[in-house]
Amino acid sequence: AAATGGRGATLGLWISDEELAQLPRNDAAYDRIVSRGGAAAIIGSLAESSAHKHALAAATLLALGGYFTAEQASVVRGELEQAIDNLALGTTDHALSTGELASRLTAWLITADLIELRERRPDVEARWVDKLRSIMARARGDLNETLAYYNERYSGDPGPAAGCLRLMMALYVGDDTTVDAVRTVLRGFLGDT
């Protein structure tokens, strides 16, 4: 269930600000942001292959507050919004394995939630949701099948990654039918039918 956090907006993927504050801060992405000048380091890192990690670290620091001046925070938020819009308009997800896609998109989903994309940039949010729905429906991988196919047929790799990604995207876009489908698959794999 969603809860209202200290930032004044309804949180979709985080239960509370306290849970957010418990995230580890000994990651290389955090170290890079804090030690290399904050906003400038984030802007440079969003062009790297590990951009999803840096984006999530930056969004977490924005949500926690106290790491950036107001001007830096505005710049960082704008860069993250632009990065998500670029992802929404791009086609870079086609070549990724299901596991890598799950890792990257999960970070971007949480980033979008933490920077309150829905409330602050509904235009970008609409394109982002369209992209997520497209990824959920599109065939991919060696078998050229959808995430639902992999989730429903494989209890091992790539099934769990596909299921996790389906669930995260469905929660973000408000697709209760898919949330229920993923729940049913998990129960089936656990023998709880």
Side-chain angles (χ1 to χ4, degrees), residues 82-93 105 108 128 131:
Q82 186 60 55
I84 291 171
D85 203 23
N86 290 344
L87 286 169
L89 297 171
T91 58
T92 57
D93 59 283
L105 272 183
W108 284 110
W128 180 232
K131 177 69 167 190

Side-chain angles (χ1 to χ4, degrees), residues 85 117-118 120-128:
D85 203 23
L117 186 67
R118 183 169 285 136
R120 294 175 181 266
R121 289 294 306 274
D123 57 324
V124 175
E125 168 75 7
R127 289 188 289 274
W128 180 232

Side-chain angles (χ1 to χ4, degrees), residues 91-116:
T91 58
T92 57
D93 59 283
H94 292 290
L96 298 174
S97 71
T98 302
E100 184 62 22
L101 180 66
S103 172
R104 291 183 185 199
L105 272 183
T106 297
W108 284 110
L109 283 161
I110 296 169
T111 296
D113 191 51
L114 290 174
I115 66 170
E116 301 168 312

Side-chain angles (χ1 to χ4, degrees), residues 32-191:
R32 180 175 179 164
I33 290 167
V34 173
S35 68
R36 295 192 184 175
I42 293 165
I43 293 166
S45 72
L46 292 180
E48 298 175 3
S49 62
S50 60
H52 59 290
K53 295 177 185 176
H54 296 287
L56 180 55
T60 302
L61 294 175
L62 276 173
L64 289 170
Y67 288 90
F68 305 111
T69 65
E71 183 178 326
Q72 289 175 327
S74 178
V75 169
V76 169
R77 186 180 304 281
E79 290 294 326
L80 292 172
E81 290 167 353
Q82 186 60 55
I84 291 171
D85 203 23
N86 290 344
L87 286 169
L89 297 171
T91 58
T92 57
D93 59 283
H94 292 290
L96 298 174
S97 71
T98 302
E100 184 62 22
L101 180 66
S103 172
R104 291 183 185 199
L105 272 183
T106 297
W108 284 110
L109 283 161
I110 296 169
T111 296
D113 191 51
L114 290 174
I115 66 170
E116 301 168 312
L117 186 67
R118 183 169 285 136
E119 295 80 14
R120 294 175 181 266
R121 289 294 306 274
D123 57 324
V124 175
E125 168 75 7
R127 289 188 289 274
W128 180 232
V129 167
D130 286 347
K131 177 69 167 190
L132 296 173
R133 289 184 187 281
S134 167
I135 290 170
M136 287 175 26
R138 186 175 51 243
R140 59 177 303 103
D142 294 340
L143 301 176
N144 200 31
E145 295 289 351
T146 64
L147 290 171
Y149 175 89
Y150 292 113
N151 174 221
E152 293 166 0
R153 286 168 181 78
Y154 294 94
S155 60
D157 192 35
C164 174
L165 184 55
R166 280 181 80 200
L167 181 61
M168 293 289 290
M169 290 191 295
L171 287 169
Y172 190 90
V173 304
D175 181 350
D176 293 337
T177 301
T178 298
V179 170
D180 289 341
V182 173
R183 181 183 299 125
T184 299
V185 169
L186 179 59
R187 284 185 172 157
F189 283 135
L190 296 175

